[in-house]
Amino acid sequence: NLCRSHFEFEPDYKNIKAIAEKLGSRKNSWNQVWQLYATAPHKYSEIEDLLRLSKPSDLGVGVFALPEESWPQLNEEKEDVLAKALTKAAKQDASKALHTLLELENEHGVRRSWVWFELGRSPLAHTLKYLTEMAVISSEAYPSSSIDEIKEYYINRGLRIDQCMRKALLVVKTGKDKALVRSVIQLFYKPWVESITRKFQKLIEQDASIFTSQKAEVEPETYVLFVDAFRYELADEFSKLLAKQKLNVSLQTAWCAIPSLTPTAKPNVSPIADRVAMPSDIKEFRPHLQNGKDLLTLAFRDALHEADFTLVTQAEDIEPDGCYWQEIGDIDTKGHEEQADMVKRVEELFEKIQETIEVAFEKGIKKIKIVTDHGWLLLPGGLPKTELNAGLTETRWGRCALIKDDAKSDLLHLPWRWNPSIFIAYAPGISFFKANQE
């Protein structure tokens, strides 16, 4: 009786197509039923196929039109239209493509409120949000007459370009969609990151004091959590997540040691920084301690112990009145292994850090200092390559090299963090000394 009086249908499965059409039409009492479905569509997985089956051939016009949102195949058609439009935009010049993206966002952004977005059926409408914001900000002029100007710009505005680029790639799953997103990233993101990197390098060539003036200091905090390659834009996003949990969070910047590689930069943010020899011998960009030991893993751990810091390997080791150093994270490794696909590891990293700090708080720790060694470049589609003859180098990594004493190079050379008499050569702009690297 309720079905007949309020919803105008006979509760018989042979009528299921007509019933599903009423649901999709959302007229009168059926609108409440739709809202029930839209609130938790994952609970009713079979409804999608029923709506697909029952879509009318004509949705009508004007005030009598049926809602577009209701029909999954209509969302799929719009995804196809968006794919073709993005493909075309990626072949345009940047200014025209920006205008195209804004128009597409105005047209397709509404679909992010549709139930199909909730079910993950609108990846291009999802990525469009990030691509558009990335394109808008990267197209803006920015101050670059000093290192401080670039720093403040990045902290307050520029980091959003990195975040949007990363998330635009993250939300698409198929190879076809990833290729499409990469093409738009190459159009907008690549010129921006190349430009800001070259401007930064030019300023550093004139004055490298932000790196050469670095001094080792005694660690004032008693619990230091080292997160490998936790670059600033990740820390910004994660600190906001912590703040939403009502934790007291402070985010501060620092220039990493150079070259920005773990063997050089990790000791610089550790409690043993004042135990590293200055000047130091260089071995794979790794210094040695004042006691003469090569700063390999075992020597690092021994030095921590001598500095009255305990290396945390399990939560049971933690006591509230001790001094602790803990290491987590493998974004660096995943980046080399998975290239641009490593963006999917960021959420895993956040969860790992969250779990780690929760355990520390449970064990009585009141304050945690999170540090990192360096950041990273990521360019989906591939970083440009700079040729560097292997015969000219003592040691060559992706972005830097130790040039032989008798070799000549016009690359940017800067003093090594742990021995200013040793100069390291750097790849220009965002280029890499190796091919096929993202």
Side-chain angles (χ1 to χ4, degrees):
N1 288 336
L2 187 63
C3 292
R4 295 189 187 101
S5 62
H6 286 269
F7 301 102
E8 301 176 329
F9 78 96
E10 288 286 337
D12 188 327
Y13 194 81
K14 68 181 181 182
N15 302 327
I16 193 66
K17 182 178 178 180
I19 298 169
E21 182 178 342
K22 289 181 179 294
L23 172 64
S25 300
R26 297 163 58 179
K27 293 181 179 178
N28 304 320
S29 297
W30 280 99
N31 190 50
Q32 296 177 352
V33 183
W34 177 267
Q35 294 306 321
L36 181 67
Y37 168 59
T39 301
H42 295 279
K43 288 185 176 181
Y44 312 101
S45 57
E46 68 277 12
I47 289 182
E48 178 179 349
D49 289 336
L50 295 175
L51 289 169
R52 189 182 299 275
L53 179 68
S54 62
K55 175 183 173 294
S57 57
D58 183 5
L59 296 181
V61 295
V63 295
F64 301 105
L66 300 181
E68 292 185 327
E69 174 188 355
S70 300
W71 321 103
Q73 59 267 58
L74 190 58
N75 180 65
E76 291 164 359
E77 291 170 8
K78 290 181 178 294
E79 281 284 286
D80 289 340
V81 169
L82 177 54
K84 293 176 182 177
L86 287 174
T87 301
K88 183 178 179 180
K91 298 175 182 177
Q92 297 172 335
D93 64 75
S95 60
K96 187 173 182 180
L98 175 59
H99 180 71
T100 299
L101 287 178
L102 290 169
E103 289 184 332
L104 290 173
E105 171 63 16
N106 186 56
E107 178 183 353
H108 292 273
V110 65
R111 290 196 289 117
R112 293 194 291 272
S113 64
W114 288 12
V115 68
W116 313 119
F117 177 80
E118 180 74 18
L119 290 170
R121 306 289 192 269
S122 312
L124 294 183
H126 194 175
T127 197
L128 179 63
K129 170 186 177 181
Y130 299 116
L131 289 175
T132 304
E133 186 177 353
M134 176 196 73
V136 168
I137 303 176
S138 65
S139 299
E140 298 171 350
Y142 59 88
S144 59
S145 60
S146 71
I147 292 172
D148 282 342
E149 279 190 347
I150 290 182
K151 172 186 170 181
E152 291 304 312
Y153 157 74
Y154 185 78
I155 290 173
N156 295 305
R157 185 70 168 164
L159 86 166
R160 188 61 189 157
I161 302 174
D162 277 330
Q163 291 174 337
C164 287
M165 183 278 290
R166 172 169 55 82
K167 293 181 178 182
L169 191 63
L170 175 66
V171 299
V172 289
K173 306 302 180 185
T174 68
K176 183 179 179 181
D177 286 350
K178 288 180 181 179
L180 181 53
V181 171
R182 279 197 301 268
S183 64
V184 179
I185 287 174
Q186 286 275 333
L187 180 62
F188 290 101
Y189 181 79
K190 181 179 180 180
W192 172 80
V193 72
E194 176 72 34
S195 170
I196 197 169
T197 303
R198 286 190 176 274
K199 288 178 179 179
F200 179 77
Q201 287 179 334
K202 185 176 180 180
L203 291 167
I204 291 298
E205 189 173 16
Q206 298 168 3
D207 179 9
S209 59
I210 60 170
F211 298 120
T212 57
S213 64
Q214 292 175 353
K215 304 294 182 184
E217 298 178 359
V218 175
E219 177 57 63
E221 303 298 338
T222 58
Y223 195 104
V224 184
L225 176 61
F226 172 82
V227 182
D228 188 32
F230 198 42
R231 72 176 186 175
Y232 186 83
E233 57 97 357
L234 297 185
D236 173 81
E237 184 174 333
F238 185 69
S239 67
K240 289 181 170 69
L241 294 175
L242 293 181
K244 289 180 180 178
Q245 300 169 26
K246 309 302 181 183
L247 292 174
N248 185 6
V249 184
S250 170
L251 178 62
Q252 300 170 6
T253 63
W255 295 106
C256 66
I258 57 170
S260 51
L261 308 168
T262 299
T264 288
K266 177 181 171 182
N268 196 50
V269 295
S270 75
I272 68 163
D274 59 348
R275 296 170 183 265
V276 178
M278 285 286 290
S280 186
D281 294 333
I282 187 170
K283 186 178 293 184
E284 291 294 325
F285 300 107
R286 187 177 61 247
H288 68 255
L289 294 168
Q290 293 170 1
N291 60 16
K293 291 184 178 180
D294 187 358
L295 196 51
L296 294 166
T297 300
L298 184 58
F300 185 91
R301 292 179 178 180
D302 290 343
L304 279 175
H305 180 72
E306 293 170 3
D308 295 324
F309 270 78
T310 299
L311 176 65
V312 177
T313 56
Q314 52 188 7
E316 289 71 21
D317 297 336
I318 301 174
E319 296 179 2
D321 56 351
C323 293
Y324 299 98
W325 167 269
Q326 186 170 4
E327 301 176 11
I328 60 173
D330 60 354
I331 282 289
D332 202 353
T333 301
K334 296 300 184 189
H336 293 299
E337 292 175 351
E338 301 176 355
Q339 297 294 304
D341 282 341
M342 58 80 71
V343 296
K344 64 188 177 185
R345 304 296 180 182
V346 172
E347 188 173 338
E348 295 176 7
L349 177 64
F350 285 175
E351 291 173 354
K352 180 64 176 177
I353 304 172
Q354 179 76 51
E355 178 186 359
T356 301
I357 63 177
E358 286 176 358
V359 170
F361 286 146
E362 289 171 1
K363 295 293 289 185
I365 300 299
K366 300 297 183 184
K367 184 178 181 182
I368 297 176
K369 177 182 180 180
I370 301 177
V371 299
T372 195
D373 48 356
H374 58 76
W376 31 272
L377 280 173
L378 174 64
L379 183 61
L383 293 159
K385 183 187 177 185
T386 288
E387 292 292 340
L388 181 62
N389 192 316
L392 300 177
T393 64
E394 296 283 358
T395 306
R396 180 180 63 169
W397 287 28
R399 291 270 297 154
C400 62
L402 179 59
I403 305 293
K404 292 180 178 179
D405 290 339
D406 57 345
K408 295 186 180 299
S409 166
D410 58 0
L411 297 171
L412 172 65
H413 285 70
L414 296 172
W416 184 41
R417 166 65 179 91
W418 301 112
N419 188 337
S421 67
I422 297 174
F423 281 75
I424 309 299
Y426 292 88
I430 60 171
S431 65
F432 217 71
F433 288 140
K434 302 176 183 177
N436 305 315
Q437 299 291 314
E438 292 183 309

